[in-house]
Amino acid sequence: MRISKLRADLLALLFLLPFVVIYVLFTIWPMIKGVEMTFYKWTLIKKMSYVGWDNYNRMLHDREVWEAIWHSTFFVILTTPTMIVLAIVLALIANRKSRLQKLYRTVFFIPSVLSVAVASFLGLFIFQPYMGFVNTFLHWIHLLPESSEIFWLTETGLSWVAVAVITLWWTVGFNFILYLSAMQEIPDEINEAARLDGANNWNIFWNITFPHLSPITKTITMLQIISSFKVFMQIYIITGGGPLDKTRPIIQLIYQTGFRKNDLGYAATMSYVVFVILLVLSAVQYWINNRKEA
Amino acid sequence: MRRKFGLILVTLMSLALVLGACGASNTGSKTSDGAENTTSAPGSDSGSGKKVTLSFWTLFSGGDGDNMQAMIDEFNKTHPDIQVKNTKLEWGEYYTKLITAVGNGNGPDVGISHTSRLPDLINQGVVSELDDVAQAAGVDWSSYNSNLLNATVVDGKHYAAPIDTHPFIMYYNKKLLKDAGLLGDDGKPVMEQSADGFVAFLEMLKQKLPSKVTPFALSNTNDDPYRLWWALYSQLGGNDVISDDLKKAALDADKGAKAADYIQKLYSNGYIKKNDPDFYKNFQSGTAAIMMTGVWATGTWEATKDLEFGAMPIPKIFDQAATWGDSHTIILPVAKKEDPDKAKAAMIFADWLASNGQTWAKAGHIPSKPSVLEKQEFKDLPYRSDYASVADTVKFNKPSTKNWQIRDNALFKYLNEVWTNKMSPADAMTKMQDAIQKVLDE
Amino acid sequence: MKWLYRVISLIVAFFFLAPIIWMLVVSVKEEGMKIVSLGDWFTPPYSLAVYDEILSTTKLMHWTLNSFLVAIFVTIFTVAIAAMASFAISKIPFRYRSFIFFFVLAGLLIPGEAVIIPLYQVAKDMNILNSYQGLILPALASPVAVIVLKSFFDGVPNELVESVQIDGAGVWRIFWSIMLPLTRPALASMAILTFIGSWNNFLWPFLSVTDDNLFTLPMGIPTLMNQYSEDYVKPMVINTLSSLPILLLFVIFERQIVKGISMTGIKG
C-alpha cells in the first residue's frame, strides 16, 4: 500500500487498537499479574502475605500436582492416537461415493455441536450401571450376563475408557472434517489411474491417500495434544476426578486449589507449570514443522 | 456510506471497551439490590412503607428446596415491607460461589451455612457479626437450643442463627419388613441393637425378600457412608478426627478401622447394592428395605405415593448411641456497603425462619427452638417425634476451619476405597491420618 | 467386500447417533418408570410432562438465550477486531510491524487455562466479574483469528490494493469494500469456529459468574442435575432442550460449517 509513513503508523494504530487493548488487558496483563501472585498467599478475598518461593517449593514436593499432570498426560496418550485413527476411519467412510454420503457426514459431525455439559452428562448417564445405555445394550446383545454390571465410572481403568470414549465421540467431528476435505482434494484421476494399474483399495489408501494426509495429520496431532492436555469439564462431570483422584487432571486441581481451597497463589503457581509444558509442546511442534520444510 | 459504517464500527467497539473497563462496577450486583430500597433512614420500622428486598442464597433442592420456598413465600406474605428472593445454588458449588461472590462484592444479603462450615467462613471474613443487628431486630438468643447456638458463637460473638439440626437416621419400608417378618406390632423393626444384631437383621432381609430387593439402600461413595462411618466411630467413643486444639490429626485409628471394617462387610456381604446409582430412588420406589440418610428425606418419602415407611435413630451398633449430624444456620454475608436496614430485615427473616421451624420440619429437619417442638403443628407431624430425640446424640464436628477440606480431601477419598474393597480399613486409617495432617498444615 | 464396507459404515454411524436418539427417547418417557432392559427405554408410555415442568420452573431457556447472546457478541467482536488487526499487519506498512506480528504470535502460546487464575484477579480488580462484560470481553482477543485472517489477507495481491488506491479509495474503503468481501469465506469460517468455541466455553463463566441470571448453558446445566434422585428423564429433557437450538442451527448452516472447518484447517 502506498501511504506516508506517519499516516501508516496512525492508521495501523487505529486498526490495531481494539485488538491490542483487549489482548493486553486480558492475556498479557494476567500473565504478568500471575507471576506476582505466585509469590503470595492469595485468597479469593484478598492478597494476604508475601511467601517468597514457598509456593514453588511446595509444588515440587506436592505429589498431587505431579499426579494430576500425569493424568492429563495420560489422557493425551489415550486420546490422541485414537482420535486420529477414528477421524481417518470416519473420513474414509464418508468419502466413499454412496447415497448415504451426506448423511454420514452429518451424523459424524453432529455430536461436535453439543455443549460440553450436554455431552458430559449424556456420557455420565450412558455409562451408569443398571439403567445406563451401555450396560443395558450389552445385556441386550448378550455380551454381558443379565446378572452382572460393569461399573464404568468407579473403576479407574474403566472410567478412563468412559471419559475417552465420550471425548472422542464429542470432538472427533472437527478432525473428521479436516481429513475428509484433505481426501477430497485428491483428484479422482489419480485413484483411477492407480486402479487401472491394478492397485486395490488397500494399496490406494496406503500409497496415495495416506501420504497425502500427512501434513494435516501433523497439524491435528499437535492441536489434539494441546487440547487434550487442557481437559477438564468432561472429567469433572463424569468422574469428578475420582476414584481416589486417579483421573483428576491438572486443570481440575488448579480449580480446586484456587476456588475450593481458596488458595489462588498456589493455583497460579501450578498454572505456570501448565504454561511451561504447553510452551515446550508448541516449541516441539514449531521445530518439527520447520525441520521438514527445510 | 461505507466509510461511515466503518467509523460507527470503531466507535461502537471503543464504547464497548470503555464500558468494560470502567462502567461495570454496578452491573454485577443488579439482582441483589435491584429494588427501590437502599436509602431509607435507619430505624424505620414495619409500616413505614419502605420496602426492603433481600437476596437469599440457598443450597436446598428437592423436598428441602420446596419447603424453604414455601417458608419464603409465607414470610413475604406476612411481612409486606420485606421481600426475600431465593436463589437456589447447586450444593456442590454453593460454598465456592458464596465465598467468591462475597469476595468480589456480589454476595447475597442472606445465606445459609452449615455449622461445620461456619468457622471457615468466619475465618475468611465472609460472615458478619450479628450482635448489634440482632439487638436491633429484637432477637432473643435464649429462645434457641443452647447446644446449637453455642456452636455458632466464636469469641463470644454471634455469627449465625441456627434453624435446625439434621442428624443421620434410618428409614425402613414397613411393607417389606412385614413380608420378612421383621416388623413388630408397634410398627417398629424387630432388631437387636448390636453389631451382630444389625447384621442378622440384614441377613434375614436378604434371605426372606426377593432378590430384586435391596436390603439396605446406601450410596457407595462420599457422604452417606461417611456419615454412617462417623456415627459408628462416635458410637465406639471416637471424638472427631482432629485434636481439641484443632491443630493435629487425631483420628483414633483402632476405632476408625473397626467402624470401617463393619461397614465394609455390609457392602461385601451384599446387603448394599453395589454402586447403586440411585439409592434414594431405590428406597423411594419400594425396592429397598431400609436406608440411612439425613432427616431431610422424610419430606420426600411422605410425598411419595404408596410408600409406607418408618423413621428411627441409627441403631446402637456399638457402645453408645451416637450419630452424624449438622445444622443449617442463617448467616449475613459481609457486604461491600453496610446497610443497617437490610441487615435488620435479614435478621428478622432469620429469626422468623427459626421461630417457624414447624414448616421447615415438614422437610424432615428438627427445629432449633425448643418452643417450636411444643407447638401443636409440630406435634401433629408424624415421624419427627420418632427421631427428635436423636438431636441429643449427634456428634458434631469440632469448630475447625478445615472441617470440609478434611472431609473432602482426606475422609471421603480413602473411605470410598474401603467400601469398594480396594483398601483395608487399617491402611485407610493410616492414609487418612496423614491426609488430615496435610490439610491442617496447609 | 462392498457389503462388509457398507455394514461397518452403518454400524459406526449407528453408534454415533445412538446416544442422541437415546437422549431424545428417554426425554419423552414418564418419570419414575422401571427400566430392566434396553427395550424398556423404547416402549410407551410417553409423556411431555417433564418438558412442561422444566420449561416453567427453571431458567434453562434464559440460559440458552444467554449462551446465544454471549456467543453472538463474542463472535461479532472477535472477528471484527481480529480482521482489523490482521488487515493492519498484512497491508499497512507501519513501523514495528514485525514486532507486532510476533507479539500476537506469542499469544498463541499462552493457553487461556494457564492464565485463568490471574485473569480472575484482574477481572475482579476491574469490577467486571459477574457481568455480561466479564463474560464477553476476555474472550475477544483471539491471536489465532488474527494469524489465520492475516494469512488470508496476505493472499490478496498488493497490486490489487494499489490499483484501487490509485482510483482514490481510502484505507477504510479498501478494508471494508475490498478486503472483507474478498475474504468472506475465511471470515465466515472464523465466525463459526468462534461461535462454537464460545458456546462451549465452560471454565471462565464457571469461575466468573455467580448470579444465575447470567449463567450460560455449560454452567447452568450442572446446577439442574440434582445429585440425589437421579431420575433419567429430567436430565435428558434438560439435555435435549439445551441442544435443540444449536442442532437446528447446525442443520441450517451445515454446509458453511463444514466448509469453514476445512478452510481454517488448511491455513492453520
Side-chain angles (χ1 to χ4, degrees):
Chain A
M1 197 180 293
R2 281 152 212 262
I3 201 163
S4 80
K5 264 256 168 320
L6 185 69
R7 221 170 104 71
D9 288 354
L10 274 173
L11 276 168
L13 185 71
L14 189 67
F15 274 92
L16 283 166
L17 199 62
F19 179 85
V20 170
V21 167
I22 298 225
Y23 180 57
V24 168
L25 271 179
F26 296 107
T27 306
I28 304 297
W29 174 236
M31 202 62 211
I32 296 163
K33 179 91 183 167
V35 177
E36 183 199 356
M37 293 176 77
T38 62
F39 292 103
Y40 282 86
K41 172 121 192 92
W42 196 305
T43 71
L44 289 164
I45 313 268
K46 57 181 182 288
K47 179 159 138 183
M48 305 288 276
S49 53
Y50 179 77
V51 295
W53 293 92
D54 277 11
N55 283 328
Y56 289 92
N57 270 329
R58 185 175 152 200
M59 188 174 64
L60 284 177
H61 302 106
D62 193 341
R63 281 190 50 180
E64 284 189 345
V65 174
W66 301 107
E67 277 172 16
I69 289 175
W70 162 241
H71 298 148
S72 297
T73 313
F74 182 72
F75 186 74
V76 170
I77 298 171
L78 198 63
T79 52
T80 308
T82 40
M83 175 72 78
I84 286 170
V85 171
L86 182 64
I88 293 180
V89 169
L90 297 184
L92 283 173
I93 290 176
N95 193 33
R96 233 178 110 84
K97 303 248 174 319
S98 87
R99 265 175 303 165
L100 298 175
Q101 194 174 14
K102 228 191 126 226
L103 182 84
Y104 285 134
R105 198 184 67 189
T106 309
V107 166
F108 297 153
F109 190 75
I110 264 193
S112 305
V113 303
L114 297 178
S115 164
V116 54
V118 171
S120 307
F121 276 108
L122 205 45
L124 180 66
F125 285 95
I126 279 172
F127 284 107
Q128 266 321 345
Y130 303 104
M131 281 162 78
F133 178 76
V134 172
N135 276 8
T136 47
F137 183 78
L138 291 176
H139 284 149
W140 184 64
I141 57 172
H142 294 286
L143 251 173
L144 186 68
E146 272 309 316
S147 54
S148 62
E149 293 289 330
I150 299 178
F151 299 115
W152 296 98
L153 304 173
T154 45
E155 303 290 326
T156 311
L158 291 174
S159 50
W160 277 121
V161 173
V163 171
V165 166
I166 285 301
T167 307
L168 289 176
W169 174 75
W170 172 52
T171 55
V172 76
F174 282 90
N175 298 325
F176 151 72
I177 298 282
L178 291 177
Y179 275 122
L180 184 62
S181 56
M183 284 179 193
Q184 285 169 349
E185 278 173 5
I186 307 173
D188 284 344
E189 299 82 61
I190 296 186
N191 288 340
E192 271 155 33
R195 216 175 287 277
L196 285 179
D197 289 344
N200 60 22
N201 282 338
W202 183 248
N203 294 141
I204 291 178
F205 172 74
W206 211 232
N207 296 318
I208 299 174
T209 317
F210 195 72
H212 183 79
L213 297 180
S214 100
I216 193 79
T217 304
K218 256 193 299 186
T219 312
I220 291 176
T221 309
M222 275 327 291
L223 292 179
Q224 193 55 43
I225 288 175
I226 290 173
S227 77
S228 288
F229 193 81
K230 301 192 288 194
V231 64
F232 171 46
M233 192 178 187
Q234 302 98 291
I235 295 186
Y236 190 61
I237 288 178
I238 296 175
T239 72
L244 207 68
D245 297 335
K246 280 192 177 127
T247 60
R248 177 171 65 187
I250 183 69
I251 302 291
Q252 186 186 338
L253 183 62
I254 291 174
Y255 162 69
Q256 286 177 329
T257 306
F259 290 82
R260 287 284 178 84
K261 291 192 177 175
N262 197 9
D263 196 346
L264 287 182
Y266 192 35
T269 315
M270 290 181 203
S271 306
Y272 279 92
V273 178
V274 173
F275 174 62
V276 169
I277 292 173
L278 292 172
L279 201 66
V280 170
L281 286 175
S282 309
V284 169
Q285 174 189 30
Y286 187 77
W287 180 69
I288 290 176
N289 282 353
N290 281 16
R291 194 189 47 167
K292 276 283 159 71
E293 276 162 29
Chain B
M1 190 61 210
R2 289 248 154 93
R3 189 190 175 93
K4 222 169 167 184
F5 195 87
L7 276 176
I8 292 171
L9 194 71
V10 173
T11 323
L12 262 178
M13 277 184 283
S14 331
L15 209 73
L17 280 178
V18 172
L19 270 177
C22 44
S25 43
N26 287 321
T27 45
S29 51
K30 62 178 173 288
T31 46
S32 40
D33 47 27
E36 51 274 40
N37 119 87
T38 57
T39 42
S40 58
S44 69
D45 221 311
S46 340
S48 70
K50 287 251 162 68
K51 236 183 185 182
V52 180
T53 304
L54 298 174
S55 60
F56 180 31
W57 281 11
T58 59
L59 39 60
F60 304 120
S61 54
D64 272 7
D66 297 343
N67 277 294
M68 183 48 79
Q69 189 59 49
M71 290 190 84
I72 294 168
D73 294 344
E74 173 71 19
F75 178 84
N76 286 344
K77 225 189 306 170
T78 52
H79 294 73
D81 51 341
I82 306 174
Q83 287 302 304
V84 178
K85 282 199 179 126
N86 181 13
T87 301
K88 289 185 199 173
L89 282 94
E90 192 206 4
W91 207 113
E93 305 291 344
Y94 172 79
Y95 285 106
T96 306
K97 290 283 175 209
L98 180 71
I99 295 168
T100 48
V102 172
N104 61 45
N106 295 315
D109 303 313
V110 194
I112 296 275
S113 170
H114 288 91
T115 298
S116 60
R117 189 65 193 251
L118 197 57
D120 181 32
L121 296 185
I122 295 172
N123 182 43
Q124 294 195 33
V126 171
V127 289
S128 49
E129 288 170 32
L130 301 181
D131 289 294
D132 294 344
V133 60
Q135 205 170 12
V139 173
D140 175 12
W141 290 119
S142 69
S143 63
Y144 287 83
N145 173 313
S146 56
N147 259 341
L148 293 183
L149 192 67
N150 287 342
T152 64
V153 177
V154 175
D155 295 334
K157 292 177 195 129
H158 287 279
Y159 281 95
I163 56 168
D164 68 34
T165 332
H166 47 267
F168 186 66
I169 62 162
M170 177 172 140
Y171 296 98
Y172 50 93
N173 182 313
K174 286 188 174 169
K175 198 181 144 291
L176 290 175
L177 257 55
K178 199 188 239 163
D179 290 350
L182 289 171
L183 193 71
D185 295 333
D186 56 351
K188 302 216 153 100
V190 180
M191 177 206 314
E192 189 197 301
Q193 300 240 342
S194 70
D196 295 336
F198 184 60
V199 169
F201 175 76
L202 289 172
E203 184 59 37
M204 279 284 274
L205 288 171
K206 191 180 169 189
Q207 283 171 11
K208 293 273 172 72
L209 296 172
S211 64
K212 286 275 174 199
V213 172
T214 311
F216 183 4
L218 190 73
S219 154
N220 281 231
T221 53
N222 298 355
D223 291 284
D224 281 339
Y226 151 75
R227 289 167 181 148
L228 179 57
W229 174 80
W230 178 276
L232 300 190
Y233 174 67
S234 304
Q235 289 191 357
L236 284 163
N239 180 21
D240 207 334
V241 296
I242 51 174
S243 60
D244 284 334
D245 65 3
L246 313 177
K247 293 203 173 80
K248 286 265 162 299
L251 170 68
D252 186 327
D254 291 341
K255 295 188 170 100
K258 192 171 172 191
D261 182 60
Y262 186 83
I263 300 167
Q264 189 185 46
K265 293 213 167 74
L266 299 182
Y267 286 102
S268 52
N269 290 344
Y271 303 134
I272 301 169
K273 186 172 169 184
K274 216 174 165 204
N275 284 309
D276 191 346
D278 200 343
F279 49 101
Y280 262 62
K281 213 177 127 202
N282 197 349
F283 185 76
Q284 191 174 11
S285 54
T287 49
I290 69 165
M291 94 149 328
M292 291 185 189
T293 191
V295 293
W296 52 80
T298 306
T300 311
W301 304 154
E302 278 177 323
T304 308
K305 261 195 301 179
D306 306 327
L307 180 66
E308 268 184 73
F309 73 99
M312 61 179 273
I314 299 288
K316 202 180 103 196
I317 288 169
F318 295 120
D319 314 338
Q320 62 201 64
T323 189
W324 174 92
D326 208 334
S327 158
H328 290 123
T329 69
I330 304 291
I331 52 167
L332 272 54
V334 172
K336 232 183 201 167
K337 269 182 275 161
E338 283 204 20
D339 182 338
D341 282 348
K342 272 199 173 184
K344 186 180 158 194
M347 201 61 230
I348 291 172
F349 172 61
D351 194 48
W352 185 90
L353 285 178
S355 304
N356 290 274
Q358 71 278 2
T359 314
W360 188 226
K362 280 185 191 158
H365 305 279
I366 303 169
S368 60
K369 289 199 175 188
S371 59
V372 175
L373 297 175
E374 301 305 319
K375 287 191 185 176
Q376 196 57 41
E377 287 158 279
F378 178 75
K379 288 183 174 163
D380 288 346
L381 291 170
Y383 310 111
R384 278 77 178 169
S385 52
D386 294 334
Y387 60 72
S389 61
V390 182
D392 302 329
T393 67
V394 169
K395 188 80 194 168
F396 288 104
N397 279 108
K398 290 175 185 172
S400 161
T401 57
K402 300 286 179 79
N403 281 336
W404 282 47
Q405 278 194 44
I406 289 174
R407 195 199 65 179
D408 288 348
N409 300 320
L411 306 184
F412 280 3
K413 193 168 150 183
Y414 295 107
L415 287 173
N416 286 347
E417 294 299 293
V418 175
W419 312 148
T420 49
N421 251 329
K422 283 180 199 147
M423 200 181 272
S424 77
D427 281 354
M429 294 307 131
T430 316
K431 293 230 160 81
M432 278 153 69
Q433 194 82 276
D434 292 347
I436 295 164
Q437 192 60 50
K438 187 173 175 242
V439 171
L440 288 172
D441 290 342
E442 268 169 6
Chain C
M1 226 14 226
K2 225 173 182 173
W3 64 267
L4 185 72
Y5 208 92
R6 240 178 237 169
V7 169
I8 292 175
S9 305
L10 281 171
I11 290 177
V12 173
F14 166 78
F15 278 110
F16 264 79
L17 267 191
I20 293 176
I21 294 172
W22 186 71
M23 166 178 98
L24 295 173
V25 169
V26 174
S27 78
V28 295
K29 291 280 292 181
E30 261 182 356
E31 256 192 313
M33 67 281 149
K34 286 240 174 2
I35 300 298
V36 184
S37 72
L38 188 68
D40 294 344
W41 287 118
F42 295 90
T43 42
Y46 297 119
S47 151
L48 287 176
V50 182
Y51 275 86
D52 255 5
E53 188 190 334
I54 296 287
L55 283 174
S56 60
T57 62
T58 72
K59 296 187 172 170
L60 195 68
M61 286 298 110
H62 184 80
W63 297 336
T64 310
L65 189 73
N66 278 347
S67 277
F68 267 107
L69 277 180
V70 171
I72 287 169
F73 269 94
V74 168
T75 305
I76 292 175
F77 283 104
T78 302
V79 174
I81 69 176
M84 287 169 65
S86 47
F87 171 70
I89 297 173
S90 172
K91 293 288 177 239
I92 301 180
F94 61 102
R95 272 175 286 181
Y96 312 119
R97 197 166 158 188
S98 51
F99 166 76
I100 289 285
F101 182 61
F102 280 106
F103 181 58
V104 175
L105 206 60
L108 286 180
L109 301 179
I110 305 177
E113 282 77 0
V115 293
I116 203 102
I117 298 281
L119 178 60
Y120 178 84
Q121 189 60 40
V122 168
K124 186 178 157 189
D125 295 342
M126 290 169 66
N127 251 319
I128 57 168
L129 284 177
N130 212 23
S131 67
Y132 282 110
Q133 294 97 311
L135 282 174
I136 294 168
L137 286 174
L140 298 187
S142 161
V144 186
V146 175
I147 306 289
V148 171
L149 290 180
K150 176 192 172 288
S151 67
F152 279 96
F153 285 146
D154 284 347
V156 179
N158 282 330
E159 295 76 35
L160 178 70
V161 175
E162 277 162 24
S163 73
V164 183
Q165 221 179 357
I166 289 165
D167 289 348
V171 174
W172 255 115
R173 236 188 90 196
I174 296 172
F175 173 63
W176 193 256
S177 45
I178 308 287
M179 299 304 276
L180 291 191
L182 279 176
T183 52
R184 227 176 71 185
L187 293 171
S189 66
M190 216 57 244
I192 287 162
L193 293 180
T194 310
F195 188 93
I196 294 180
S198 169
W199 180 259
N200 273 323
N201 194 4
F202 167 69
L203 194 56
W204 177 243
F206 180 62
L207 297 184
S208 69
V209 169
T210 43
D211 179 349
D212 68 350
N213 286 311
L214 292 170
F215 281 9
T216 54
L217 277 179
M219 53 182 315
I221 290 171
T223 66
L224 295 179
M225 303 284 184
N226 192 336
Q227 67 169 346
Y228 296 123
S229 158
E230 291 170 19
D231 201 281
Y232 280 49
V233 181
K234 259 191 201 125
M236 290 310 140
V237 170
I238 293 164
N239 275 344
T240 307
L241 278 174
S242 41
S243 305
L244 280 181
I246 192 86
L247 285 175
L248 202 71
L249 268 188
F250 170 68
V251 172
I252 299 171
F253 291 112
E254 186 182 354
R255 251 173 46 119
Q256 285 86 336
I257 293 173
V258 168
K259 234 167 98 187
I261 294 168
S262 21
M263 272 183 78
T264 42
I266 292 158
K267 287 285 174 184

